[in-house]
Amino acid sequence: MLTAETVDRIVRFDGRGLPVSSVYARVDADPGLREDLHARVTSMLDEVNPLAKNEAVQHEARLSIRADIDRIKESLAQERWKPGAIAIFACSGRDLYLEVPLPRGVRDEVAVDATPHVRPMLTVLDEYHRACVAVVDKASARLWEIYQDELREVGKVHDPALRKSNYSAGRVEERVRNKADELSKRHYRNVTQLLDRLFRAEDFDLLIIGGHEYEVPAFIEFLPKDMRSLVAGTFSIDPAEPVLAEVRANANAVLQSYERAEEHQFVTDILDTVATGGLAVAGLDRCLWAGSIAAVDTLLILDSAVVPGVVCDKSGWLARSGAACPLCGSPTRPTPDVIDELAQEVIAEGGSVKHITDDDRLAEPLAAASIRFPLPPEPVTA
Ligand SMILES: [Zn+2]
């Protein structure tokens, strides 16, 4: 599975003088499109091939690129990439070869550069939360990481507790109950400390808690304030024998509703800002203009929206139509999806893009954005 360490390794990778090959390819679910994938990846590698033969490129670098190409071709032939997209980072001369499966499609791209081309990967991964799932009862706790649907155990706590039989009737009852409370408090403190260590060491951004419905709130009370604010949700499960599939399904349900709520909030915030005349715009055309002049801070786009348009590769002008760019006069390049071009542009300019799965308020505008400065008037298109 893809871990924070892998991503970190790629982002920080330094070829120490050798170039890194980065390839992104969309992988369709339809097996009938295998040949298409083969053709697209092969043609991207063909673009890189001249570098591997160019005498002007240092010998060691040429060998490394050559080996990268061979390795990627080998992997392509095995047809084992999962639907969504594949990102490949290779620097054979420095023993780097990593394939990162991405859960959704990205634009095909190839780059050979001093550093890995990580932006498209980071954008996709940004949509997924890395959460810690804690299943807790009065004496035990099991902790997992959940990321992109996969669970990985990250910790376990067992503390002494009084058994039910210790609750004898009569005058000692209260003393025994106090003792039991004290033990469970000590246990909760131990779990909290472990969580604290994990959150410092790992890259978690959310916490999900499972257990008996009657015990979970007491545990949450024990969490320090900053950690309590990371609780994305809770679920009910038998903490004595938590079944992994059940933990995963419950945690995913929590994450999904958290994600939906987060998306809903983004739309609310930006549309409210538009309504009050603040720094935000709604509607694809306004967003395209904002994107053309690097004014977009956060772009919200409706996941299902695909709109053809035009791009000026010289000045970055984006629009639904126009044969010539009104900013520089160059001929434009038609694109099947100008929203995708807009998203790439926003990321390239340091903004962020949020994919909104489903929100009626975006059905008509298709896109909305918070902007960095008020937009100048749009140029008149010919
Ligand atoms: Zn232009």
Side-chain angles (χ1 to χ4, degrees), residues 144-158:
W144 294 269
E145 171 193 74
I146 185 162
Y147 185 58
Q148 290 189 37
D149 202 34
E150 294 200 52
L151 278 186
R152 176 173 68 101
E153 181 142 23
V154 290
K156 229 180 214 182
V157 182
H158 266 288

Side-chain angles (χ1 to χ4, degrees), residues 174-292:
E174 198 183 313
R175 197 154 49 85
V176 171
R177 192 173 293 141
N178 285 342
K179 179 68 183 164
D181 278 354
E182 195 189 298
L183 286 175
S184 69
K185 276 180 190 164
R186 194 178 298 163
H187 168 63
Y188 287 165
R189 252 195 305 275
N190 288 341
V191 178
T192 305
Q193 275 166 11
L194 175 59
L195 278 172
D196 190 57
R197 276 205 304 280
L198 283 170
F199 270 75
R200 279 170 208 278
E202 312 253 351
D203 201 13
F204 296 129
D205 51 3
L206 295 173
L207 176 60
I208 299 167
I209 299 162
H212 290 303
E213 248 167 86
Y214 55 88
E215 282 177 353
V216 168
F219 174 68
I220 290 179
E221 284 286 295
F222 247 87
L223 293 171
K225 221 177 175 183
D226 54 336
M227 199 172 280
R228 210 179 306 161
S229 68
L230 298 177
V231 176
T234 63
F235 62 93
S236 166
I237 195 168
D238 179 8
E241 295 282 331
V243 179
L244 280 192
E246 214 180 307
V247 172
R248 181 188 296 119
N250 277 295
N252 269 331
V254 167
L255 282 177
Q256 258 171 36
S257 65
Y258 181 88
E259 187 66 33
R260 269 197 300 275
E262 196 183 51
E263 289 179 3
H264 186 88
Q265 193 59 47
F266 268 119
V267 177
T268 302
D269 287 349
I270 287 185
L271 294 183
D272 280 358
T273 310
V274 174
T276 55
L279 284 174
V281 290
L284 181 57
D285 293 305
R286 294 299 282 161
C287 289
L288 288 173
W289 173 231
S292 300

Side-chain angles (χ1 to χ4, degrees), residues 6 8 17 159 168 180 182 191 256 371 374:
T6 306
D8 202 56
D159 285 309
S168 53
E182 195 189 298
V191 178
Q256 258 171 36
I371 52 178

Side-chain angles (χ1 to χ4, degrees), residues 312-317 325-330:
C312 170
D313 286 320
K314 211 166 161 199
S315 65
W317 184 70
C325 167
L327 299 179
C328 72
S330 307

